[in-house]
């Protein structure tokens, strides 16, 4: 084993990833760190992204780094000199998809021994995953985690120039890296990270271990980024955090909260502001009232509830009750009557009884959700719920999921139907996937709309009268 290899052989530890100390978050300036250039000239890359918006935003940063190194994006996997899988660890099937893909990519490596195959994102933050890669996927050249994306130039230099395998994953609270270059996926809608990590430790969830401590970005860095996006012609931003409502909780020297950030961003000339994800425990009335001002603050809130049973919520460590959740929802509808609410729900959490599941159905009816992501509980190694007794069969959990989905779909349709005959504003994304004479875009309430219109409208905000509504989409006509 060479020296370089040893230098870059750091494995993760879920136990270390659990630790939280109360020290200030280090801020790293990528420009000061970065001194390798140009060795990607003439070479190409391809990244496959799994998981949530946090990963999508990270992929944009990884692309930014690769392009500064003068790599260009390949159209196909076959022709790429580097393939990176930016992975998600939140449920077992997300991980299985990645292992399946790694199996498939073995052939590519055979065809092109110079191909560099890398795995990054949340999965490498788990020791079991790194052990499995070491044991069964010898042809993976590069493994890094969520905390050390900014070190990619260094790692690639070692892999490309020294032909050494690099495995380096930090299980730490994490830092904030500013000034990372970025190739954004979309020219009109942008992700803006306002914080990283999560300190909630919901008992089923792996994210606090894969993403580290909750750490908020300096408000000026956020506002500067948004101003830059405005200069570049962006129309919509989505503020990202695992629990955006706790933004600023970690500031030691200033008192500046999510509601303050919304007040400041509301003043900027950006057409649309969204945010995700909200935590019901920290969503304060102040924030609700600010959102009620409307304007560029969009009437759409994704508010994961997870369960409608107080016993289950307690076991999940969600730190709210169904009563407090309902009260929050009541206030949201009171102050923002036009709002569209969506949620996340887990069925089959260990020990969930039929009655407790029924309570979730009741809560769904009460809250009038217009959509939801629903999941069967998936056991995650290293989380507290891993050891909770669970006697419910998978078949039974599936039955609950389908029953819940039937109810959720009624909400989707109701949420679409209420716009029939109404005039809505659509940010036009592009041509419809099914018909290239039709444009597609999203309303302020985040509903997909298809309408006939000229391609020149792409990127603009257009007024459309809704003529018919289906469960998943609205159809309309442009108002002249
Ligand atoms: N921070 C966000 C999103 C986290 S992951 C939040 O708190 O809402 C997105 C969703 O995945 C969660 O809301 C939850 O519904 C689901 N999820 C997380 N861990 C899971 C697990 N072990 N099994 C099934 N679903 C899970
Ligand atoms: Fe996971 Fe809970 Fe954090 Fe969301 S708030 S990322 S569900 S631990
Ligand atoms: Fe998945 Fe990591 Fe997001 S585990 S859901 S990609 S934070």
């Amino acid at each position: 084993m060479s020296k370089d290899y040893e230098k870059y052989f750091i494995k993760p530890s879920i136990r270390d990833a659990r630790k939280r100390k109360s020290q200030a978050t280090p801020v790293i300036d990528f420009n000061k760190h970065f001194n390798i250039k140009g060795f990607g000239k003439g070479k190409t890359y391809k990244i496959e992204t799994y998981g949530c918006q946090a990963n999508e935003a990270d992929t944009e940063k990884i692309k930014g780094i690769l392009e500064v190194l003068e790599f260009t994006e390949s159209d196909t996997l076959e022709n790429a000199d580097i393939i990176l899988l930016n992975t998600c660890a939140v449920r077992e099937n997300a991980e299985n998809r990645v292992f399946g893909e790694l199996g498939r990519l073995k052939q590519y490596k055979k065809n092109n021994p110079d191909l560099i195959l890398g795995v990054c994102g949340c999965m490498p933050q788990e020791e079991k995953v790194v052990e499995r890669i070491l044991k069964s996927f010898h042809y993976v050249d590069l493994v890094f985690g969520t905390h050390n994306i900014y070190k990619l130039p260094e790692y690639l230099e070692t892999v490309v120039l020294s032909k050494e395998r690099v495995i380096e994953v930090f299980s730490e609270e994490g830092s904030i890296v500013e000034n990372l270059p970025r190739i954004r996926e979309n020219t009109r809608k942008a992700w803006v990270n306002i914080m990283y990590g999560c300190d909630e430790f919901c008992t089923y969830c792996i994210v606090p271990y894969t993403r580290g401590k909750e750490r908020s970005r300096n408000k000026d860095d956020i506002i500067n980024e948004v101003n830059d996006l405005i200069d570049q012609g962006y129309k919509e931003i989505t503020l990202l955090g695992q629990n955006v409502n706790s933004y600023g909780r970690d500031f030691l020297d200033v008192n500046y909260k999510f509601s303050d950030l919304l007040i400041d961003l509301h003043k900027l000339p950006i057409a649309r502001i969204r945010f995700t994800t909200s935590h019901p425990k920290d969503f304060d009335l102040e924030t609700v009232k600010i959102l009620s001002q409307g304007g560029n603050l969009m009437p759409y809130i994704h508010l994961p509830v997870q369960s409608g049973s107080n016993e289950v919520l307690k076991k999940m460590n969600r730190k709210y009750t169904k009563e407090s959740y309902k009260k929050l929802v009541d206030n949201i509808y009171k102050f923002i009557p036009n709002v569209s609410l969506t949620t996340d729900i887990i069925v089959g959490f260990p020990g969930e009884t039929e009655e407790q599941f029924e309570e979730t159905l009741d809560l769904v009816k009460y809250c009038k959700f217009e959509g939801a992501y629903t999941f069967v509980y998936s056991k995650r190694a290293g989380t507290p719920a891993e050891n909770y007794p669970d006697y419910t069969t998978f078949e039974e959990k599936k039955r609950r999921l389908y029953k819940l989905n039937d109810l959720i779909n009624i909400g989707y349709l109701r949420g679409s139907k209420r716009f029939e005959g109404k005039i809505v504003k659509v940010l036009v994304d592009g041509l419809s996937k099914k018909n290239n004479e039709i444009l597609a875009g999203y309303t302020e309430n985040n509903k997909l709309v298809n309408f006939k219109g000229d391609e020149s409208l792409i990127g603009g905000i257009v007024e459309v009268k809704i003529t018919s509504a289906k469960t998943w989409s609205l159809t309309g006509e442009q108002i002249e």
Side-chain angles (χ1 to χ4, degrees), residues 137-167:
F137 299 90
H138 305 279
Y139 51 94
V140 171
D141 306 284
L142 171 61
V143 178
F144 61 101
T146 57
H147 294 302
N148 49 350
I149 290 171
Y150 68 98
K151 289 183 76 182
L152 184 57
E154 207 173 304
Y155 299 152
L156 280 177
E157 197 183 38
T158 304
V159 179
V160 177
L161 303 180
S162 320
K163 306 256 181 289
E164 304 287 350
R165 194 178 192 194
V166 166
I167 291 172

Side-chain angles (χ1 to χ4, degrees), residues 50-52 54-55 87-90 122 206-207 210-211 242:
Y50 301 79
C52 69
N55 261 13
T87 62
C88 170
V90 82
C122 287
I206 196 76
V207 174
T210 65
R211 292 272 167 182
Q242 297 299 340

Side-chain angles (χ1 to χ4, degrees), residues 8 30 33-37 39 65-66 68-69 71 148-161 180-181:
Y8 292 118
F30 181 73
H33 206 270
F34 181 77
N35 55 8
I36 318 164
K37 272 201 178 116
F39 72 90
I65 295 175
L66 290 171
V68 171
L69 293 170
F71 288 92
N148 49 350
I149 290 171
Y150 68 98
K151 289 183 76 182
L152 184 57
E154 207 173 304
Y155 299 152
L156 280 177
E157 197 183 38
T158 304
V159 179
V160 177
L161 303 180
L180 275 168

Side-chain angles (χ1 to χ4, degrees), residues 62-112:
I62 295 170
K63 284 186 175 181
I65 295 175
L66 290 171
E67 302 226 351
V68 171
L69 293 170
E70 297 185 33
F71 288 92
T72 54
E73 189 168 8
S74 166
D75 296 334
T76 60
L77 278 176
E78 282 84 351
N79 298 326
D81 299 299
I82 300 181
I83 298 176
L84 289 179
L85 305 187
N86 191 9
T87 62
C88 170
V90 82
R91 281 171 293 276
E92 197 184 1
N93 54 13
E95 299 202 339
N96 288 342
R97 276 174 61 211
V98 169
F99 283 123
E101 183 65 359
L102 276 181
R104 201 174 71 89
L105 292 174
K106 187 174 188 178
Q107 196 57 42
Y108 288 57
K109 191 79 185 176
K110 270 193 189 148
N111 297 344
N112 172 15

Side-chain angles (χ1 to χ4, degrees), residues 45-50 52-53 55-64 67 73-75 86 181-192 225 229 232 234 236 240 429 458:
Y45 69 86
K46 192 86 187 153
I47 307 176
E48 294 192 344
T49 308
Y50 301 79
C52 69
Q53 296 91 337
N55 261 13
E56 289 180 25
D58 282 350
T59 288
E60 295 180 346
K61 296 172 188 171
I62 295 170
K63 284 186 175 181
E67 302 226 351
E73 189 168 8
S74 166
D75 296 334
N86 191 9
R182 200 154 175 174
I183 304 290
R184 294 190 189 261
E185 208 49 51
N186 193 301
T187 53
R188 292 166 289 272
K189 304 201 273 192
W191 309 119
V192 176
E225 182 175 337
L229 290 166
Q232 292 169 47
Y234 277 85
E236 178 174 308
L240 292 184
D429 280 330
I458 293 172

Side-chain angles (χ1 to χ4, degrees), residues 327-354:
K327 193 157 176 243
L328 172 60
V329 166
D330 289 345
N331 275 324
I332 289 174
Y333 282 126
K334 182 174 152 203
F335 284 94
I336 322 164
N338 174 40
V339 77
S340 292
L341 261 191
T342 59
T343 196
D344 288 351
I345 295 168
I346 298 175
V347 301
F349 185 77
E352 182 192 64
T353 63
E354 183 64 23

Side-chain angles (χ1 to χ4, degrees), residues 198 200-202 204-205 207-208 242 279 306 318:
C198 183
E200 294 306 332
F201 291 98
C202 302
Y204 49 81
C205 185
V207 174
Q242 297 299 340
H279 196 303
Q306 313 299 358
R318 289 291 290 178

